[in-house]
Amino acid sequence: MDKSFFTGRMQEIQADLIKFQAEKSKLELELMDDDVSPVVFEQVRELIHGFHQILTVAPFEQRKTLMHLFIKRITMDTSKKIETIELRFDETWIHTSPTLLSQ
């Protein structure tokens, strides 16, 4: 192996390093932008209970829309099994759920 091989390989590695550092910076910015605050268990339980009541009586299209609003992300493993379901919460939903139930 000659010096040109190692020089070329070193340049490739440095280019990869720059690319990965840029990706890392981008991901760090995304994490900082994600304004997440803890949710009280009772609020989550109340919200899920309210959604369950709505979903049992709502027509299919409404159920589909509600699920799209409620679920933020679903991750699956390589065998297509669900690993995690990330839910989207807004405290105002807790206060409006009784209104939704009465409709």
Side-chain angles (χ1 to χ4, degrees):
M1 295 192 185
D2 63 347
K3 184 178 177 180
S4 63
F5 170 78
F6 289 109
T7 304
R9 184 70 180 127
M10 179 78 96
Q11 289 173 344
E12 288 175 20
I13 292 171
Q14 287 176 336
D16 285 345
L17 180 61
I18 291 169
K19 182 179 76 172
F20 292 136
Q21 286 174 334
E23 181 70 20
K24 177 185 171 194
S25 296
K26 178 184 165 196
L27 292 172
E28 286 173 342
L29 283 173
E30 284 180 29
L31 287 173
M32 285 190 289
D33 288 344
D34 200 11
D35 185 23
V36 178
S37 60
V39 179
V40 179
F41 174 77
E42 280 301 314
Q43 290 178 328
V44 174
R45 191 169 71 81
E46 183 181 333
L47 181 63
I48 291 174
H49 178 72
F51 269 108
H52 174 72
Q53 288 181 332
I54 292 170
L55 291 174
T56 57
V57 297
F60 174 75
E61 284 301 315
Q62 263 186 334
R63 288 193 311 254
K64 184 176 162 185
T65 301
L66 287 170
M67 295 304 280
H68 281 273
L69 290 171
F70 193 55
I71 297 173
K72 183 175 184 178
R73 179 180 306 132
I74 298 174
T75 57
M76 302 173 96
D77 63 14
T78 54
S79 63
K80 302 288 185 186
K81 291 184 180 177
I82 295 175
E83 284 186 334
T84 62
I85 299 175
E86 188 176 338
L87 303 177
R88 181 184 338 241
F89 289 101
D90 182 345
E91 284 190 35
T92 59
W93 290 2
I94 301 291
H95 304 295
T96 59
S97 62
T99 308
L100 290 173
L101 291 173
S102 63
Q103 293 179 352

